[in-house]
Each structure stands twice: as C-alpha cells, then as structure tokens.
Amino acid sequence: MVDFSLVKEAAAILESAVNVAVLTGAGVSAESGVPTFRASEGLWEGHRVEDVATPTGFQRDPELVWRFYNERRQNLRSVVPNPGHVALAKLEEKLGDNFTLITQNIDGLHQKAGSKNVLEIHGSIRKTLCTHCGLIAHAPIEMDLGDLPRCLDCSHLLRPKIVWFHEMLPIDIWETAQFAASEATAFLVVGTSAVVFPAASLIPIAKMTRSPGARIIEINLAATEVSSMCDISILGPSGVVLPLILKELGIEV
Ligand code: BV8
Ligand code: ZN
C-alpha cells in the first residue's frame, strides 16, 4: 500500500523545487512488461553479463550478443509506455528547461511516452554503431537487423549503440547528466537498484555537490543501496506512485 503522506511530501518538494532531475532504471519499464536485470527471470537470467554485455563478449561471440539484443528488440515491439513514463513526460511539460530526465534504460519508452529531452547514459537499443567506420544509424525496433548486421557504408560488423560494462559512458551526455544532478534542488530516483556505476554516483552528486544539496526522492518496490541517502523512499510501483505525485500537483496522468 503506497504511503500517501510520503506522496504529499514528495509533491511539496517538487512544487517548491527550482531544478528537478530524475534518474530512472529498469524498474520504470517493468509495468510495461520489460524484464528488469537483477530480479529472478531478469534479463541476466540464463546469460553471463560478461558474455552478452561486454566488448570482450561481443568480440568472442557477436552472434550470441546480437541474439540477446535482437530478442530484447523483438520483445519491445509489443510494449507500450506505462503511466510512470507518461507522468515523467508531463512533469517535463510542466517544468520545461528546469527538468532533466536521465535514464539508464535503452528501451526508448520515455521518448515513446512523450519525453523530449532524455539523457540515455547507457545508449539505445534503437541505434547501431559500426565497429569499423563509427557510423551511427537509427535502427527502429520494427526493423529486423538479422543475426550479424553489417554497415551499409563499409560492410563491417555493426554493434548495438549501447554502453557495455567496462566501457566509458558517452562523455557529453554523462557530463550533462552530472551537471543536472549537481544543479538539482529535487532529485528523483525511480526504479533502479543503484548498483551500476558511474550512474549511481549521480545520487551523491545531487546530494553533496552544493549546500544544501538536492532533496532526494526514491520510488522503488524495495529498499536499495541508496535508500539511506534519500530524504523520502516511497515503496510502490512507479506506474502508480508517479501519477499520484502528479495528481497532488494538479496534473492528471
Ligand atoms: C565504466 C547497457 C568507466 C547494457 C548497462 C565504479 C565506478 C565506475 C565503474 C565501476 C565502478 N564499480 C564497478 C564499475 C564497473 C561497472 C559497474 O558498475 N559494475 C557493477 C555491476 C558493480 N560499470 C561499468 O562498467 C560502466 N563503465 O565504469 O566505465 C571505465 C571505462 C574504462 C576503464 C575504466 C573505467 C558501464 C556501466 C553500463 C553497463 N551497461 N546497460 C544493456 O542494457 O543491455 S548497465 C544495466 O544495469 C542497465 O543499463 C540497467 O539500467 C543498469 C542498472 O540496472 P537497473 O536499471 O537498476 O535495473 P535492476 O534490475 O538492477 O533494478 C531494477 C530496480 O527496479 C530494482 O531496484 C527493483 O526493485 C525496481 N523495480 C522493479 N519493478 C518496479 C521497480 N521500481 C518501481 N516500480 C516498479 N514497478
Ligand atoms: Zn561502417
């Protein structure tokens, strides 16, 4: 059962906030039917991260990696954004440039829900990158890329434009995310286990860069590594909690 007093408190913090930043993880897409990573039957189930989400894994067996990503692209064809995604798009509408959405997700559901300015710090499953000439191409999930897609320009092997483990995050997007977290007076942490770095460092960045730091509001089904750092931890599905907070702000989702 969602604690309504915390929903009201979160709405009051957002109401008086100057700059709002949000970090989302796989949990925000869970109610759309997209499996998270670390739950049982999660995305990593049956796969070793080293085999499917690292550059060495791709080098060793690109077909296995493409099977893993093509399967996720396939699943996304029957997936629509949930009210949590829509609520964040409406919050951006209300706050404009004082709002920054940072996501670890690669599924593109925030944009499908209407979010305009999305910082995809781990890349996107809807783009490919050529391993040879660096060509970046749009790859709509409806498109069947085949088992080992090749570059139209130089015919070398393509990879998903995704940040794998042991890879640097796209520096311009990462710096924008860090700045938004440091400038935030309210920071929402939605649907993430906060175990992956440097993404999870955005929470202490929001809390400690300026004094006073941001008020941190967590929305999750369970306590996480960062709950102790949060001013408010609202336990509940983000597709339910986020619309409740927006309702308190007079916005119907
Ligand atoms: C790097 C793309 C620098 C692939 C992903 C310290 C500093 C820097 C790096 C490290 C460090 N310590 C360790 C590292 C290395 C590593 C790392 O963090 N390892 C961890 C596992 C310990 N980090 C890296 O390698 C990063 N790169 O550091 O480079 C560098 C480079 C060269 C040389 C030196 C240094 C790259 C990290 C990016 C990896 N790529 N994704 C893909 O998606 O296929 S990470 C992957 O995990 C996803 O992006 C995912 O989003 C992310 C985080 O997971 P979550 O989103 O949180 O999902 P999870 O399932 O864990 O949790 C879901 C949560 O939702 C749960 O809490 C659940 O309770 C909740 N939930 C469920 N349902 C709901 C809900 N909440 C609300 N409502 C619901 N309905
Ligand atoms: Zn190429």
Side-chain angles (χ1 to χ4, degrees):
M1 192 53 191
V2 177
D3 181 335
F4 272 83
S5 64
L6 294 180
V7 167
K8 285 186 182 313
E9 207 181 324
I13 291 171
L14 290 175
E15 187 78 81
S16 59
V18 176
N19 292 314
V20 176
V22 185
L23 172 67
T24 63
V28 81
S29 297
E31 288 153 87
S32 296
V34 182
T36 61
F37 288 90
R38 295 166 180 89
S40 56
E41 291 102 58
L43 279 169
W44 296 143
E45 199 80 1
H47 295 290
R48 282 169 6 104
V49 170
E50 298 70 42
D51 295 340
V52 293
T54 62
T56 35
F58 184 69
Q59 226 141 30
R60 193 170 43 243
D61 189 347
E63 269 188 279
L64 170 70
V65 174
W66 270 111
R67 258 202 311 282
F68 176 63
Y69 284 98
N70 278 331
E71 203 179 299
R72 287 168 70 184
R73 284 168 53 90
Q74 183 94 26
N75 292 344
L76 281 171
R77 287 175 194 162
S78 56
V79 159
V80 291
N82 66 63
H85 293 112
V86 177
L88 291 173
K90 294 206 176 222
L91 197 53
E92 179 186 49
E93 236 171 80
K94 173 183 166 71
L95 299 175
D97 294 343
N98 301 330
F99 178 87
T100 305
L101 176 57
I102 304 156
T103 189
Q104 300 171 87
N105 299 341
I106 61 172
D107 57 30
L109 289 178
H110 285 301
Q111 294 90 327
K112 273 192 93 170
S115 291
K116 302 267 179 300
N117 170 21
V118 183
L119 297 176
E120 293 178 309
I121 56 172
H122 289 163
S124 170
I125 205 164
R126 298 166 190 263
K127 287 182 188 148
T128 57
L129 168 68
C130 176
T131 57
H132 179 71
C133 72
L135 179 78
I136 294 170
H138 277 282
I141 47 167
E142 297 71 25
M143 222 164 117
D144 187 350
L145 297 177
D147 302 347
L148 276 177
R150 293 203 165 270
C151 176
L152 293 178
D153 275 10
C154 73
S155 68
H156 276 75
L157 190 56
L158 295 179
R159 58 168 279 181
K161 186 157 181 352
I162 282 172
V163 180
W164 281 323
F165 287 97
H166 316 306
E167 290 190 315
M168 295 298 278
L169 276 60
I171 194 69
D172 50 341
I173 296 177
W174 174 240
E175 281 176 354
T176 309
Q178 276 183 296
F179 181 70
S182 65
E183 288 295 297
T185 50
F187 192 81
L188 281 156
V189 186
V190 186
T192 182
S193 58
V195 298
V196 171
F197 285 83
S201 64
L202 290 171
I203 297 131
I205 287 171
K207 192 161 184 81
M208 298 181 220
T209 309
R210 293 173 319 115
S211 167
R215 304 288 304 281
I216 316 276
I217 301 163
E218 181 178 43
I219 298 170
N220 201 306
L221 296 180
T224 68
E225 306 272 324
V226 294
S227 298
S228 56
M229 219 184 275
C230 299
D231 296 79
I232 305 180
S233 270
I234 306 177
L235 293 182
S238 48
V240 170
V241 174
L242 283 167
L244 287 176
I245 294 173
L246 261 74
K247 193 168 176 160
E248 286 299 307
L249 296 172
I251 305 169
E252 280 304 317
V253 174

